[in-house]
Structure formats: C-alpha cells, structure tokens
Amino acid sequence: MGHVRNYTLGDVIARYKSASGFNVLHPMGWDAFGLPAENAAIEHNVHPADWTKENIAVMGTQLRSMGISYDWNREIATCDPAYYMHEQKMFLDFFAANLAYRKEAWVNWDPVENSVLANEQVIDGRGWRSGAIIEKRLLSQWFLRITAFADDLLHGLKTLDRWPDRVRLMQENWINRSEGAYVTFKLQGRDDFLEVFTTRPDTLFGASFCAISANHPLAQELARENREIAEFSAECNRLGTSEEVIETTEKHGFDTGLKAKHPFIDGQELPIYIANFVLMEYGTGAIFGCPAHDQRDLEFARKYHLPVIPVVVPKDVDSSNFEIHDEAYLGDGVHINSGFLDGLDITEAKVTSINCLMEKDAGRGAITYRLRDWGVSRQRYWGCPIPIIKCSVCGIVPVPEIDLPVELPKDIELDQTGNPLDHHPTWKHTDCPQCGQKAERETDTLDTFFESSWYFTRFTSPHADTAFSRDAVEYWLPVDQYIGGIEHAILHLLYARFFTRALKYCGYLSVEEPFAGLFTQGMVCHETFKDENGKWLYPEQVIADRDGNHTHVETGAPVTIGRSESMSKSKRNIVDPVSIIDAYGADTARLFMLSDSPPERDLEWTMAGIEGAWRYANRLWRLISEPVGPLAPVGTPMPIHMSDTALQALRAVHTAISVVTDDLEKFRFNRAVAHIREFTNFLGELNLNGDDLAWVRRFGAETLTKLIGPIMPHLAEEMWNFLGHKRLLVFEPWPEAESELLLNEFVTVAVQVNGKLRATLELARDAEGPKLEAQILALPGVVRAMEGKSARKVIIIPNKVVNVVI
C-alpha cells in the first residue's frame, strides 16, 4: 500500500501536468539487483534472475491495474546486461579519472548478508536491511571518490529550493564541513608523533587526555606486543559503527602507558588511551579530550578520574565560581585558564591558537568532512560485476570496452558461505588483456545503489546504444519532480547527486543536480495484531465483534491490538492492494490514498476509509448517469443571457476549478479531494429548471469529470463517455478558471463555543492557522462565553465553522 500511495501521488501530478500542456516523461523501471532477491532465490530454490523476472511481471500487472500512466516503452531493469553494461563503462571512466580506486580499509561487515556496507547503510550500528550488528573488518575494497565533490554537494543544497528543508539539513549534517586544525602531539620517549584533527583548537588548554581508535596504526603496533590491548581492540571492533551507537554506549578506554606532550604547555603530558568511541574513519582516528566542553569526553574523564578544566565561560558569569558538574558547557563565551587565549571569544581564540600551532610547527589550519568515500564492493552474486581483471604481472587491469558487458554466470551455486563468484569453477578465470597471462576477474559486485544513481538518465533514451542520448538527457534533466520516502535522504539521493557530478566530470552531461523538486510522502500505517503466543497476525486473520473485542478468525482466541505502525511484512500489518482493487476498484484505492491526510504525513489505513471512498465513487457515477436535471446537448454554446441563479452556479464551477488547480499545484491532494467533494455536493443540489441551468449543469458535470480525472482516471473516462464524448478524457486540456467569474474570496463562518453559536466572522477563503485562532479567541461573543476559562482546543473547518472547546 505504500507503493500504491507513492505511485498514485506521482500519477496525479503526471496526469495533471500533461493536461496542463506540459511534455511529461513518466517512466517506470525495476531496481532489480541485490541481496533480497538472492536470499529469496535461495529460499525458494530458484535462480535470482528467474525470481526477479517473475516479480517484475507480477508487479507490472498490478501497476497497470492501478491505471498508472507510465510510458511502458521506456521500461528498464537494472539486472539486464543491456542496462548494466553502461554502468560498467561508467565505472571504467571513473577509474580512468581517479574517481574509482581500490584500497585496503576498515569496512562495515554485515555478518548476516556476508557483505560490506557503506557508512550510510549502517543505521544505529546495524545493517540497514538485515538489522544485524555490524562488525569492523580490514578488507581490500573498491571506493568511489565522493569526497572530491564534498564542497560542491554542500553548496548545491542551497540551490534546491524545492526540496524539503529537513532533507537538505540531513545531507548538510552528513557531509558536515568542519573548519579546524591538525594538531601534532610529540610522544614522550619516542621519535614519532600523534596527529589529531579538532574543530576546537581553542580548547587545547583544557585537554586532559588523548584517545586513539582501536584500528589506529599506533594501537595496532601496541596490540602486536600486548595481548590485553589486542583483546580490548577486538572488543571495540564488535561495537556498532554509527554515531548514535557511539554516543549512547558506555565509554571504555585502555591506558597505553604512552604520553603525548602538550603543544602549548611545556612539561605537561597527556595520557594516551585506546577508546571505543574513537573511529578510524573520522578525522585521523585520534582525538584530544577536553572534558569541560565535550559531553563524551566528560563521561570518559569522570570514569577514569581525569582532570576537568573549564576553558570557556559564559560572558555574564564570574569565572572564579564556574564549575563543570554532570554536563559539559557547550555554549559561547570567553576563554579562561588558557594562557595567551584568556579573554578572547571563541572565534578569536580559534584563529590565535591555529597561528600559534603553526609558529611552533605543531599543527596547521584545515577543513575536513564527515563524509567518507563510498565503498561500492559487495561480496555477493546478484549484482553488477565490477569490470576489472587482476593480473599477477600487470596488476589491476580494466576490462576492454569492447568486451562489455561482463555478464554474471548463469550456472551458480548459492548455498555456500562467502561470495558465490569466488567459488565458480570457470567464470573468474580469464586472460589478461594486456600481457595475455592467466588472470582472474574481480569477483566483487557493485553496491546496488550504483544502479539507482543513474537510472533517471537512462529513462530519457532507454534504447540508445550508449548510456543515454546527450541531447535527450540535456532536454529532460534535471527531473522536475521526484517523489520518495525520507529514508532516501542520505542514501539514494546523496549518491545520485554525486553520481551526476561524476558523470559531468567525465563528459557525459552538463547538469549537476539530478532532481530539481523533491517531495517526501508519509508512510501508510495500520494497527498491529498478536495472538495469545505473541505471534504477529495479518489483519484478515482478525475479526472484531460489536463490543470491539478482537479474536482470531480460525481459533476464536483473543487477539491483542498493538499500536498503528507503518505497514511491514515483518509485523504482518499489511493490506494486499490486489484484494482492495478486486473488491473496490483501483480508483477507490487511489482516492482513499489521496483524501485521508496530507501526503507528507503518515496515512492511517482503515476499512471505514476505503468504504467511504467507495460510496463516493458510486455517488459520482450516479450524479453523471442520473443527473438531478436535464443537461444541455454536447457542444451547446454558452447562453448569451443567464439568470442570476445560473450565473451564481457558473461562478461556483469556476471557483472549483481555481481552488482544485491551486491545491494540485501545491501538492495539497487531500484538500483537492475535499474541494471536489464540495463541488459534487453543489452539483447534486443544482436541480432547478431552465436552459441556462441545463447548460451550467453540463459544464459543471464536464468540469467535475476533468477535475477528478487525474485522481480516478478509470471512472472519469466512463463519466466522460457517458456525457457523450468520443475522444478520451486523457487528451482533453485542463480547465481554466476565469478570474472575473470566481466567487467572493471571503466567506462568513460560524464561531461556536462548545458547540453553541456565539459569533460569525468574515474570513479570507481557506483561512486557518495560529493568527486566526488568536483572532477568534478575541471576539467579544467568544470571550463572554468562555467566562475567563482557557481554550483546550480550537477546531477550524475552513470556510464553514470554528468550534472553541473549553
């Protein structure tokens, strides 16, 4: 049902824009590679390709039954060699441009998927799909150099004014540009040094320790000689990798016995710990701890009885009485206990401290990013082969372009541990294209986000011999409207933005941003059910009696109702779209998905809601097939003279066009449905006689049919045909409102207090919001009725009534 909602939203926009005269490209494709298909194939003992094709066929049939207006001539599937051969070429071009490279690195290992995950695919320390606790492993992997575009990705967010603010903020925080300094700590009794990146070099006078990652070279050196350090490091690597997990996990450290010399304070040495909250992939894998001004450092310092020295104090606080207790001070202020920095504000102190570090040859100013290069190697079968050959003589050798695509072998054994391609007897063996010696193919496949980072370019020319036609992609991109869940904010959307820039860098296209407009729809939710054993039940397994008691359909045993959550197979709170379409029709399902709540919010699925939508669909049909009065013949010109009643009715029709058009432009689909329902009610009451009213009734019926067309296309086509038209409605232009025929932009609403009328108020049409509430609560009649009590709630039904509840 989540898919039904998402695709319906897009289809309404596509149909509306097409009717409004735009050239609309509305394609569908299948992101078909990945571990879920591989696992399902293993479970059902079929080949992943067969499993995928069967699912594509089923889902395609369902989408067609929903009446989604896709251009099926542009259909693509990412598992088709005709598709992924082009991304193999892109990979080789990235490799030639130094945007793709291989290195040994600590990576996120999912023990359930038996594969590597990118940082963005680790959620709360667990695999984004499997939910397994992530481990750290040192592996040789392929990476894409997304960090090369970090500044550009950050700057580009400012141009995306049709993206939700929270998505832009999420990407900004993920990229996280940080200005600071690299600080070099000399080590006591050693010739080497420890380098730390910090955004707060001004707090060095408050440093009481240094800490390094368990995977830092210094920690690894010590671990080879000390079994306790080796065991502690192994324990650290079993900890989740996300910042959320790091922040919430109890901080542990191991004192290495080494000391770091303070760069500003002669003779002061800081103990060096290996700490479980320091990650190798951030900064240099080493930090200095300033407990007074970092909560994580404070918790660590309290645990290991280290000094806590405040070096920043609020401007209006007496520094002699300022102390740190359970919370670090993170605010602005001036420096204390900081030698030559005393009295400076934070900005001045940062500049001064960096200058001093440079003078002492103990550091330098720098800019870093939280963003890390994208690891794209996956140790699974069902993915795009990486077009690389490993030769013992020549090293890493690209597959010649003429040999693309490198296709997956069809004869594969999936029921074994590790990467199935590693175990294939023949596929991985080949000859080096440079020296002719025996060599091996790269057996890692690409992260499936690689496929979904460029599919939108292929849609513009899906039958081109190259990845896409340059002319077509320049005409269509950027995508005018993208609709997708908030869960794509950091993964797919960030990768697609990088990928587009990389393609531009390699000469494929000239655009930088792939998606000009973004709308993130809410989830479809349903209450959850469990039997007496705590086992999840499907909604169809539950029946409710008149008293609201729920029991199991088959056993009659009592059922526990849980809270409403987004529909998921794991909790079985799902509704099969096919069953709804079979019972009520696709248009009823589409209408309910649009009418129940604003599209950016979660939608609560209820049978009462779908029943209500079904009743309205029948009412619509009756309004057209059994009109309350005669309709003028098709094509009858507008009467020259019209009565006041007919003219007022005509104004109502044009007002309906205006408000519904405005709603669709602003993605207020639920309000559009509400306005169409109001217009339906109006037409159902327009039962007076007269030729002018017969003309208005026809004009109104045809307008209603056009307005409902993008939402309920099947019913609308039947209505249009019944009204006597031979050409399909889908080819008709969108109606245009004539401004001189619009109803008054102000309406008079009733104001009630606890359900009793106390005042009336003239308001701008569709007015609502906090300012209106304040205006209502100030009305003399309302003030008298409230008798000094506070309003518990102000319920505003736009254009109709306001009820103050006390």
Side-chain angles (χ1 to χ4, degrees), residues 33-36 38-39 105-119 121-122 125-142 241 374-384 386 416-422 442-449:
F33 270 142
L35 196 64
E38 187 171 328
N39 287 341
W106 288 94
V107 295
N108 306 303
W109 181 262
D110 188 316
V112 171
E113 295 193 354
N114 286 313
S115 186
V116 168
L117 299 182
N119 289 335
Q121 294 165 316
V122 178
R126 296 177 180 270
W128 71 291
R129 245 182 337 226
S130 71
I133 296 176
I134 296 304
E135 302 170 357
K136 304 294 286 183
R137 288 195 181 182
L138 186 63
L139 295 175
S140 184
Q141 298 285 291
W142 284 97
T241 59
W374 173 14
V376 294
S377 292
R378 298 295 178 267
Q379 294 68 41
R380 304 303 303 172
Y381 164 72
W382 193 235
C384 174
I386 296 177
Q416 52 191 322
T417 59
N419 185 349
L421 292 176
D422 268 334
E442 172 63 74
T443 56
D444 286 352
T445 53
L446 288 170
D447 179 7
T448 54
F449 280 99

Side-chain angles (χ1 to χ4, degrees), residues 32-252:
F33 270 142
L35 196 64
E38 187 171 328
N39 287 341
I42 294 171
E43 181 181 348
H44 294 87
N45 196 29
V46 296
H47 195 279
D50 296 332
W51 174 262
T52 300
K53 289 175 183 176
E54 290 173 9
N55 277 277
I56 287 175
V58 170
M59 293 181 71
T61 300
Q62 292 178 355
L63 286 173
R64 285 175 170 86
S65 73
M66 287 171 56
I68 307 296
S69 59
Y70 292 132
D71 182 350
W72 289 102
N73 291 320
R74 296 176 183 264
E75 181 181 9
I76 57 177
T78 60
C79 63
D80 185 346
Y83 178 86
Y84 68 71
M85 68 175 293
H86 299 299
E87 73 179 57
Q88 289 177 338
K89 170 68 163 56
M90 291 173 184
F91 181 89
L92 295 179
D93 288 338
F94 291 171
F95 180 68
N98 198 31
L99 294 179
Y101 65 95
R102 187 176 179 86
K103 73 170 183 177
E104 193 174 66
W106 288 94
V107 295
N108 306 303
W109 181 262
D110 188 316
V112 171
E113 295 193 354
N114 286 313
S115 186
V116 168
L117 299 182
N119 289 335
E120 292 84 356
Q121 294 165 316
V122 178
I123 310 299
D124 295 335
R126 296 177 180 270
W128 71 291
R129 245 182 337 226
S130 71
I133 296 176
I134 296 304
E135 302 170 357
K136 304 294 286 183
R137 288 195 181 182
L138 186 63
L139 295 175
S140 184
Q141 298 285 291
W142 284 97
F143 291 84
L144 295 186
R145 208 177 296 277
I146 188 173
T147 53
F149 298 92
D151 264 334
D152 196 38
L153 288 167
L154 201 58
H155 177 75
L157 290 172
K158 299 175 183 177
T159 69
L160 300 176
D161 53 3
R162 290 201 296 119
W163 279 41
D165 290 341
R166 64 170 178 161
V167 174
R168 290 191 292 175
L169 181 61
M170 289 169 72
Q171 288 205 6
E172 182 180 337
N173 290 340
W174 188 262
I175 298 168
N176 193 16
R177 184 181 190 273
S178 300
E179 296 185 13
Y182 284 103
V183 182
T184 302
F185 290 88
K186 294 179 180 179
L187 301 183
Q188 178 64 38
R190 294 172 59 115
D191 294 330
D192 53 350
F193 57 85
L194 182 67
E195 188 174 58
V196 167
F197 176 78
T198 177
T199 59
R200 294 295 304 274
D202 59 303
T203 63
L204 271 165
F205 282 96
S208 61
F209 68 93
C210 287
I212 59 177
S213 163
N215 300 316
H216 191 280
L218 181 57
Q220 293 179 319
E221 173 195 325
L222 297 173
R224 288 192 288 269
E225 303 170 358
N226 187 312
R227 185 170 58 84
E228 289 185 75
I229 290 180
E231 290 175 353
F232 180 79
S233 296
E235 180 64 30
C236 289
N237 283 331
R238 285 190 286 272
L239 180 67
T241 59
S242 75
E243 291 190 15
E244 292 84 357
V245 169
I246 296 300
E247 291 300 322
T248 57
T249 300
E250 183 179 357
K251 311 302 182 286
H252 288 289

Side-chain angles (χ1 to χ4, degrees), residues 483-497:
I483 301 174
I486 192 70
E487 69 274 9
H488 294 308
I490 300 301
L491 290 163
H492 164 56
L493 291 172
L494 181 61
Y495 289 153
R497 294 184 63 227

Side-chain angles (χ1 to χ4, degrees), residues 535-566:
K535 191 176 179 181
W536 297 108
L537 297 173
Y538 290 107
E540 60 264 28
Q541 293 177 287
V542 181
I543 189 170
D545 61 23
R546 293 181 178 178
D547 297 326
N549 299 313
H550 290 70
T551 54
H552 196 294
V553 170
E554 297 174 0
T555 67
V559 170
T560 302
I561 306 175
R563 65 188 180 92
S564 179
E565 299 185 43
S566 60

